[in-house]
Amino acid sequence: MSNKGALLKDLLLVVLLVSSMLLTKEGVTSLPICLNGSDSCQVSLGELFDRAVNLSHYIHFLSSEIFNEFDERYAQGRSFITKAVNGCHTSSLTTPEDKEQAQQIHHEDLLKVVLGVLRSWNDPLIHLASEVQRIKEAPDTILWKAVEIEEQNKRLLEGMEKIVERIHSGEIGNEVYSQWEGLPSLQLADEDSRLFAFYNLLHCLRRDSHKIDNYLKLLKCRLIHDSNC
Amino acid sequence: MKQKLTSSVQIILLLALIAVGLTDESYPGKPKIIRCRSLEKETFSCWWKPGSDGGLPTNYTLFYIKDSEEKIYECPDYGTSGPNSCYFDKNHTNPWTTYNITVMATNEMGSNTSDPQYVDVTSIVQPDAPVNLSLETKTSASTMYLWAKWSPSPLADVSTNSHAYHYELRLKPEEKEEWETISVGVQTQYKVAGLQAGVKYIVQVRCILDLGEWSEWSSERYIQIPNGESPPEKPTIIKCRSPEKETFTCWWKPGADGGHPTNYTLLYSKEGEEQVYECPDYRTAGPNSCYFDKKHTSFWTIYNITVRATNEMGSNVSDPHYVDVTYIVQPDPPVNVTLELKNPINRKPYLVLTWSPPPLADVRSGWLTLEYELQLKPEEGEEWETIFVGQQTQYKMFSLNPGKKYIVQIHCKPDHHGSWSEWSSEKYIQIPTDFRVKDMVVWIIVGVLSSLICLIMSWTMVLKGYRMIAFILPPVPGPKIKGIDTHLLERGKSEELLSALGCHGFPPTSDCEELLIEYLEVEDSEDQQLMPSHDSGHPSKNAKLIPKETDSDSGRGSCDSPSLLSEKCRESRALPSALETQEVRDIQENKGGKRSWQTQCIASEQKILLFNNENTKSSTWPTAQLPTNQPPMFAYHSTVDAHKITLSTTNVNITPVLVGNEEKHQSQYPMTETVHDNMVKQRQMENLHSTDQTTAQVRQSRPDDKSPFLNPELMDYVEVHKVRHNEEPAVLLKHKENNGKTEKYTVPGTSKEYTKVSTVVDHNILVLMPDSRIQHASMSQEPPMETSQNLQQGQAEKNMSYSLTVPSECKRETSGSEYMDPSSFLPSFK
């Protein structure tokens, strides 16, 4: 009898426990945005890199898209690729070509490389955005992407200057970039040549935007995550 | 006769009319059996060509007769071989039988039957043409030959040896008309020598089974016989792939070797460089491949790759392959895929998938960024659900169907370019059935269990009867009066008992009568200790018996029976008393309500038994007891002790509450009522526990009692001082003899004091203690009262089934000693 009584008690206890556990909800806590007052409330380097990487990722995405669209629409059967081997206007800039090179280069130098490549594209992107309008039956998707890339590239450049400023805390050499001389080729009368000039430019854009994206991701992992992404 | 004739003529005319009228509709035309054929001598089919259908829907029926039997069979299977055909499966095919086959076409108008076709299965065998004919030129010992291979039609069951196909091969130069036919035999390959170099040949094969017909020729195959010795064909670069964005490999497919051992060389040049390099590593990635290690792998550079095949006769170079390593990254599948079912306490369960990037991929440095995609489906499902996960290496799934088994796979891809890896190996996870349901089940189980326990408890209660009750409601020990041997009581030897009580001799003498002075009413819920020998295995039976016993019981004898009754009893028997007793009874019933009345029955029965054993006169007894008119004179004690079930009975301590009823006769009423109320209250309060209620009623006649029926004389009274439940039940009575005696002695005719335990209600103990000092004084005085008392008592019994407040004044009056009055053990119910 007493056993049964005890059992009943235990059961009651269990029921109570379960119900209490069911009733309690997990507390939710929120973190303040600025922990140490407004002074140190500036965007952290990590956040800056996150934004930069997001931008570069987006730019490269757009570049790939615009290239693929163009390739599909204008380059079929013209074997532009074989001619494109000639290189891009940024090939004068020394950029790491594989992982080892990219890892060996000092992060400040790599940042400079990124800045250099970004600046080298300032001019051509502006012209691309305007010249692409003249392509015969250019679809809207290509047109707006050209404009979008140009704008985003500027924003990324600003962001990168900020990052370099933060890391360098010194002056940024403005001179390290490659001049683009390709405007005339975009305005060639011969359609094939002109299309190839576009093709080549887009091809180079895709490549360089990928380079930038790749370098930035590398830098982010190295500087923010201590090479342990 | 004439009538018959005319009628028959009419019929003929009618028929003719019908025939004329339905010219466009007629019975079907004659079908024709076109062909019967067996593919492998084990089954066969026949096809027929329908005749005209006569403009009506026509059914075709195939009948056949075996040469060995007379019986006509119908086609076993019209479906398998297509329309207008009949398929004879293995069971219906006998190679040693000739079948006589006819087809009957039937429509509404009639039927028509084809000409019979005689079929001998062996002779109608025609296999399908051989398949997979492949040709190859080989050079051995500087002679060129053609190597042809083929396989029999997949329909034929090659495994059984009974089918020996014989093959024929024919070939001719492409531009010629004549075929050269070669009998091959049973092999499925053939070497043709002596062919003209530099000529393109066409080759075909066919087969035959035993005595059947040749199959069709197989489809044509062409082969260019090499012109003696030639340079190899152009190799083709199939693909290039980088598994981790650091190295890459290219594979190629060699062309024809031109009959000579051929070397392959991979050459590449990089964008912007004029120099041509050769493959740095032919071995690592297997045959016909080139592995580019880290040193030789650059990104954002286009590789121009070609493969050159070279033999003695010359070389041939593949088409160039342009590769930017960035775009050919295809990682290995993710590893360490784990599925874990999380079951948080206060949330819904969910599935957590975790995985690791492929070991080759260096995602930590940021050089390669991988994105993942997973797909899952229920095990029996058809379509995969694909979920793009992004860069994270874990994923939580919340909406899964419970009770299903899921298959999960994951693959990965570089963030921008490249291609998806292979899927990781399938992982299975069983989603448990709904947790709510599980909870429900738990609750149901709990409910069932508890109700089961309750059932068992009540069952055992019913079975074990008072034992269980006694267990739950520990017995209150009977009042133990010093000097009384309880064992004697139990044994029921009245004489001994009586003698022990000081009442010698039976039937009672005047001595005994004089014993009555006081009543001690003790209500006790448990009498177990008094009556241990009574087994109440049949409570219900007992219960039935009791009411009857009550009456007959009236004679529970004791020495005080008739003689004790005084005339005053009569007087004292007033209505009020009856009411009062009823009240008390109510109380008791209330009390006992929960305990089940079995208990009461048992108890009462026990009492009855006890007193029956005492062989007392039934007729007289009750009367003596019933006069309960003395209410005011007794201290009314109600002791209610509540005990928890779990308490052992022996430990029960009962503290009697003495309620001295000092009031007068009239006030008796209220008193009982209050007691009643108390009891009820207590019952309510202690409902959960099993209540052990002991009521001790001690009535005492008071000298100042103004009741008309009351004897003015006052008796000594006894208070139930303590009721101990420890092992030996005992009521400690406190005799106020001194006072009483003095009073009594002052009143003439009542020189004796009785101490009477008049009632033991429920489970009660009756103890009577003789007051030896006064015992003998008034014995002889009593007899006259007895009869009258009896009469009254009889009435009383009729009026009230049971009187709790047994003590009557008469007794007191007459008694000088204490005695035990068993009449109080009357059951409390009728």
Side-chain angles (χ1 to χ4, degrees):
Chain A
M1 205 57 220
S2 60
N3 281 343
K4 280 177 188 172
L7 196 94
L8 216 103
K9 269 186 204 165
D10 287 355
L11 214 94
L12 232 133
L13 209 80
V14 166
V15 167
L16 276 171
L17 263 169
V18 168
S19 57
S20 75
M21 277 192 284
L22 285 172
L23 286 170
T24 20
K25 301 261 170 170
E26 260 186 25
V28 180
T29 52
S30 58
L31 283 170
I33 295 165
C34 297
L35 281 169
N36 306 326
S38 54
D39 280 357
S40 56
C41 236
Q42 61 175 345
V43 183
S44 67
L45 191 64
E47 179 67 20
L48 283 177
F49 261 108
D50 279 344
R51 294 178 189 180
V53 164
N54 282 345
L55 256 184
S56 67
H57 188 96
Y58 178 52
I59 292 169
H60 179 58
F61 168 77
L62 290 176
S63 311
S64 302
E65 291 279 292
I66 199 173
F67 172 79
N68 290 337
E69 276 175 59
F70 187 90
D71 185 44
E72 231 170 73
R73 199 173 179 95
Y74 302 103
Q76 292 304 307
R78 299 182 198 230
S79 60
F80 284 153
I81 184 71
T82 51
K83 296 185 219 165
V85 174
N86 294 334
C88 306
H89 74 283
T90 49
S91 52
S92 58
L93 296 170
T94 317
T95 57
E97 287 197 325
D98 56 40
K99 189 181 129 189
E100 267 178 30
Q101 285 179 28
Q103 280 180 325
Q104 276 160 11
I105 191 170
H106 192 266
H107 64 88
E108 286 185 11
D109 296 333
L110 192 53
L111 276 171
K112 274 182 195 170
V113 168
V114 172
L115 268 184
V117 175
L118 280 174
R119 281 181 190 140
S120 307
W121 276 99
N122 253 348
D123 242 22
L125 283 176
I126 292 165
H127 292 293
L128 178 70
S130 57
E131 294 301 322
V132 81
Q133 319 268 355
R134 298 203 206 163
I135 299 177
K136 195 175 65 186
E137 292 166 2
D140 283 347
T141 48
I142 289 182
L143 301 182
W144 81 258
K145 269 173 197 143
V147 176
E148 180 79 357
I149 290 168
E150 195 252 319
E151 282 177 12
Q152 297 304 327
N153 196 63
K154 266 189 208 160
R155 285 183 57 193
L156 181 57
L157 188 57
E158 282 170 30
M160 285 318 295
E161 278 165 356
K162 202 164 188 178
I163 288 173
V164 172
E165 207 175 289
R166 187 76 69 80
I167 289 172
H168 250 311
S169 68
E171 85 287 358
I172 315 141
N174 213 17
E175 64 284 347
V176 196
Y177 74 94
S178 186
Q179 199 65 47
W180 179 63
E181 315 278 355
L183 181 58
S185 63
L186 294 183
Q187 296 163 334
L188 284 171
D190 174 42
E191 178 155 351
D192 253 24
S193 309
R194 202 174 70 238
L195 283 178
F196 172 70
F198 273 109
Y199 178 91
N200 198 37
L201 187 65
L202 291 175
H203 168 257
C204 290
L205 175 64
R206 181 176 73 151
R207 171 184 293 179
D208 284 344
S209 64
H210 189 244
K211 269 187 194 175
I212 290 164
D213 188 46
N214 215 147
Y215 296 154
L216 282 180
K217 280 168 180 166
L218 206 67
L219 278 168
K220 182 187 148 194
C221 284
R222 199 198 289 186
L223 297 176
I224 309 300
H225 301 286
D226 203 18
S227 290
N228 190 15
C229 268
Chain B
M1 277 304 285
K2 272 189 180 178
Q3 276 187 339
K4 264 193 180 176
L5 240 166
T6 47
S7 66
S8 57
V9 165
Q10 276 176 345
I11 290 167
I12 290 164
L13 275 170
L14 238 163
L15 280 170
L17 267 170
I18 289 165
V20 169
L22 301 173
T23 39
D24 53 339
E25 287 184 0
S26 63
Y27 54 84
K30 207 165 157 184
K32 190 186 175 190
I33 296 172
I34 317 161
R35 177 185 187 203
C36 287
R37 182 190 172 195
S38 169
L39 283 173
E40 67 313 65
K41 223 163 76 176
E42 289 191 349
T43 67
F44 72 99
S45 302
C46 289
W47 292 265
W48 64 87
K49 189 183 146 198
S52 64
D53 60 1
L56 287 169
T58 309
N59 276 334
Y60 294 92
T61 322
L62 183 142
F63 295 105
Y64 65 93
I65 309 164
K66 294 180 189 174
D67 58 0
S68 51
E69 300 175 44
E70 289 294 305
K71 214 171 165 187
I72 297 173
Y73 298 93
E74 204 195 325
C75 170
D77 180 356
Y78 288 104
T80 304
S81 295
N84 297 326
S85 77
C86 177
Y87 174 71
F88 296 78
D89 63 15
K90 282 187 183 178
N91 296 332
H92 294 85
T93 307
N94 183 349
W96 314 111
T97 303
T98 306
Y99 294 81
N100 178 3
I101 297 172
T102 50
V103 175
M104 189 168 79
T106 316
N107 67 7
E108 284 175 10
M109 301 302 296
S111 63
N112 211 338
T113 309
S114 71
D115 293 330
Q117 171 103 357
Y118 294 92
V119 173
D120 174 15
V121 177
T122 320
S123 62
I124 59 162
V125 171
Q126 188 192 27
D128 275 340
V131 293
N132 298 334
L133 173 63
S134 67
L135 305 173
E136 218 177 332
T137 54
K138 290 224 170 177
T139 322
S140 77
S142 74
T143 47
M144 177 84 60
Y145 57 87
L146 175 70
W147 189 249
K149 284 182 184 175
W150 61 90
S151 43
S153 159
L155 277 174
D157 186 3
V158 191
S159 60
T160 53
N161 283 333
S162 59
H163 311 301
Y165 285 104
H166 286 257
Y167 297 98
E168 244 179 23
L169 179 146
R170 67 174 184 183
L171 78 167
K172 63 165 190 178
E174 193 179 23
E175 62 276 4
K176 287 197 176 175
E177 289 296 312
E178 304 149 27
W179 290 92
E180 181 191 348
T181 306
I182 304 158
S183 179
V184 175
V186 294
Q187 308 168 59
T188 55
Q189 56 186 18
Y190 194 71
K191 211 160 78 174
V192 190
L195 298 169
Q196 296 174 34
V199 176
K200 202 173 189 178
Y201 278 89
I202 305 171
V203 185
Q204 286 181 313
V205 281
R206 66 175 182 179
C207 62
I208 194 170
L209 189 61
D210 295 342
L211 300 168
E213 296 171 34
W214 280 104
S215 72
E216 305 284 314
W217 286 103
S218 69
S219 52
E220 295 179 340
R221 287 283 181 276
Y222 295 82
I223 186 160
Q224 176 79 44
I225 304 300
N227 196 358
E229 291 152 355
S230 65
E233 269 183 353
K234 222 162 58 166
T236 318
I237 296 172
I238 312 162
K239 74 162 190 173
C240 296
R241 176 203 168 199
S242 167
E244 75 300 66
K245 207 179 170 185
E246 290 174 44
T247 65
F248 73 103
T249 304
C250 290
W251 292 266
W252 65 87
K253 184 189 160 200
D257 64 357
H260 285 280
T262 308
N263 276 334
Y264 295 93
T265 320
L266 183 140
L267 301 169
Y268 70 94
S269 63
K270 279 157 81 172
E271 174 187 346
E273 294 179 34
E274 293 300 314
Q275 201 177 341
V276 174
Y277 306 92
E278 204 196 324
C279 169
D281 183 351
Y282 288 107
R283 292 186 173 187
T284 304
N288 299 327
S289 75
C290 177
Y291 173 71
F292 295 80
D293 61 11
K294 288 183 187 179
K295 278 184 185 174
H296 295 87
T297 306
S298 299
F299 291 83
W300 305 296
T301 299
I302 291 174
Y303 285 76
N304 180 358
I305 301 171
T306 51
V307 175
R308 179 189 294 270
T310 316
N311 68 7
E312 291 171 6
M313 303 305 297
S315 68
N316 220 332
V317 180
S318 72
D319 293 330
H321 193 77
Y322 295 94
V323 169
D324 188 333
V325 186
T326 316
Y327 306 113
I328 58 162
V329 180
Q330 186 194 21
D332 293 328
V335 294
N336 300 332
V337 180
T338 56
L339 308 177
E340 197 185 347
L341 198 74
K342 296 270 186 185
N343 194 9
I345 297 157
N346 51 354
R347 273 184 252 145
K348 275 188 81 177
Y350 58 92
L351 182 64
V352 179
L353 293 106
T354 54
W355 59 89
S356 307
L360 279 177
D362 176 21
V363 294
R364 296 179 140 207
S365 68
W367 175 251
L368 170 63
T369 309
L370 290 178
E371 289 172 341
Y372 303 91
E373 191 176 66
L374 59 91
Q375 65 177 12
L376 85 165
K377 65 168 186 180
E379 195 178 25
E380 70 277 8
E382 290 283 314
E383 278 183 31
W384 290 95
E385 183 188 348
T386 309
I387 299 155
F388 182 75
V389 184
Q391 296 176 17
Q392 49 190 344
T393 54
Q394 70 158 25
Y395 189 73
K396 291 174 185 172
M397 303 209 64
F398 291 92
S399 52
L400 291 167
N401 289 332
K404 283 196 174 178
K405 196 174 188 180
Y406 278 89
I407 310 173
V408 184
Q409 290 182 318
I410 300 171
H411 66 173
C412 61
K413 171 188 168 300
D415 56 351
H416 286 293
H417 308 287
S419 42
W420 286 105
S421 71
E422 304 278 305
W423 287 104
S424 65
S425 57
E426 293 180 341
K427 294 279 176 182
Y428 295 82
I429 186 144
Q430 176 76 44
I431 307 299
T433 45
D434 202 347
F435 281 76
R436 283 184 183 175
V437 171
K438 221 178 178 182
D439 282 347
M440 280 289 285
V441 166
V442 166
W443 287 117
I444 285 167
I445 286 169
V446 164
V448 165
L449 266 177
S450 49
S451 58
L452 237 166
I453 288 167
C454 283
L455 244 165
I456 288 167
M457 280 171 68
S458 52
W459 186 60
T460 45
M461 273 221 200
V462 168
L463 270 190
K464 297 218 167 186
Y466 84 95
R467 275 191 187 172
M468 281 304 293
I469 301 291
F471 197 70
I472 299 160
L473 318 169
V476 177
K480 195 171 189 181
I481 300 171
K482 226 178 172 185
I484 290 186
D485 187 356
T486 50
H487 294 288
L488 279 179
L489 268 174
E490 286 164 26
R491 266 181 265 146
K493 291 183 179 174
S494 59
E495 283 183 359
E496 282 173 86
L497 179 64
L498 287 169
S499 64
L501 296 170
C503 194
H504 304 285
F506 202 78
T509 56
S510 57
D511 282 355
C512 296
E513 294 164 19
E514 285 166 7
L515 290 176
L516 287 173
I517 283 186
E518 294 175 343
Y519 302 89
L520 173 62
E521 265 189 35
V522 178
E523 275 184 32
D524 192 351
S525 58
E526 299 291 329
D527 66 337
Q528 200 190 4
Q529 298 198 351
L530 255 185
M531 308 286 155
S533 60
H534 277 279
D535 198 336
S536 61
H538 317 282
S540 58
K541 197 173 150 192
N542 290 335
K544 284 174 190 169
L545 287 172
I546 290 141
K548 288 178 184 173
E549 299 255 352
T550 332
D551 291 328
S552 64
D553 217 8
S554 49
R556 52 219 79 96
S558 87
C559 54
D560 64 331
S561 42
S563 58
L564 294 178
L565 305 169
S566 66
E567 288 179 4
K568 307 221 167 170
C569 277
R570 236 186 264 162
E571 299 162 14
S572 66
R573 291 194 74 259
L575 274 175
S577 73
L579 285 168
E580 179 210 344
T581 49
Q582 213 119 29
E583 288 276 352
V584 178
R585 200 180 74 204
D586 285 345
I587 295 162
Q588 281 206 324
E589 277 170 359
N590 286 337
K591 271 193 291 176
K594 274 234 162 170
R595 286 182 226 148
S596 84
W597 56 275
Q598 291 161 2
T599 338
Q600 290 181 351
C601 302
I602 296 150
S604 49
E605 191 206 35
Q606 284 167 350
K607 290 166 211 158
I608 290 153
L609 284 170
L610 170 70
F611 293 108
N612 283 341
N613 286 339
E614 287 173 355
N615 287 328
T616 50
K617 290 174 187 173
S618 55
S619 58
T620 50
W621 237 120
T623 51
Q625 245 101 43
L626 284 172
T628 51
N629 318 341
Q630 299 224 324
M633 303 171 68
F634 294 88
Y636 195 91
H637 302 273
S638 129
T639 313
V640 182
D641 263 20
H643 303 281
K644 289 197 171 182
I645 308 171
T646 47
L647 289 178
S648 74
T649 53
T650 49
N651 290 331
V652 176
N653 286 319
I654 296 172
T655 320
V657 180
L658 293 174
V659 181
N661 190 350
E662 310 271 351
E663 294 159 36
K664 300 178 182 181
H665 177 67
Q666 294 87 349
S667 62
Q668 174 70 23
Y669 255 111
M671 188 54 209
T672 19
E673 276 175 1
T674 52
V675 172
H676 177 98
D677 287 341
N678 286 341
M679 305 274 265
V680 173
K681 277 175 197 165
Q682 274 173 333
R683 233 188 82 228
Q684 286 169 345
M685 285 163 66
E686 292 153 355
N687 236 347
L688 281 177
H689 322 291
S690 82
T691 348
D692 193 9
Q693 297 175 330
T694 307
T695 309
Q697 294 181 351
V698 179
R699 296 205 171 176
Q700 187 190 2
S701 57
R702 288 262 154 174
D704 53 342
D705 202 324
K706 289 169 187 172
S707 158
F709 308 106
L710 285 180
N711 194 320
E713 298 164 9
L714 260 196
M715 304 300 151
D716 213 345
Y717 64 91
V718 179
E719 283 183 10
V720 177
H721 200 59
K722 271 186 187 174
V723 181
R724 279 188 304 176
H725 266 263
N726 301 334
E727 296 186 0
E728 295 178 43
V731 179
L732 298 183
L733 300 179
K734 191 180 172 185
H735 296 262
K736 292 187 177 177
E737 286 164 348
N738 294 332
N739 299 333
K741 272 173 198 166
T742 47
E743 287 166 350
K744 284 165 205 160
Y745 292 132
T746 55
V747 182
T750 55
S751 57
K752 286 169 191 174
E753 294 182 6
Y754 298 89
T755 304
K756 187 180 178 185
V757 178
S758 68
T759 32
V760 183
V761 185
D762 233 3
H763 318 279
N764 356 20
I765 297 156
L766 164 73
V767 183
L768 173 68
M769 193 175 177
D771 192 346
S772 52
R773 291 161 298 180
I774 339 162
Q775 197 176 353
H776 305 283
S778 58
M779 283 289 268
S780 55
Q781 297 173 358
E782 301 300 324
M785 304 179 193
E786 191 185 328
T787 45
S788 62
Q789 182 77 37
N790 279 342
L791 288 170
Q792 285 200 338
Q793 192 61 52
Q795 286 177 344
E797 269 202 308
K798 281 171 196 168
N799 289 337
M800 344 168 210
S801 61
Y802 175 56
S803 103
L804 243 188
T805 55
V806 192
S808 60
E809 292 138 13
C810 12
K811 287 169 192 168
R812 268 187 238 127
E813 288 164 36
T814 52
S815 68
S817 63
E818 302 158 76
Y819 73 100
M820 187 170 68
D821 186 357
S823 69
S824 58
F825 293 94
L826 280 166
S828 60
F829 58 86
K830 197 165 189 178

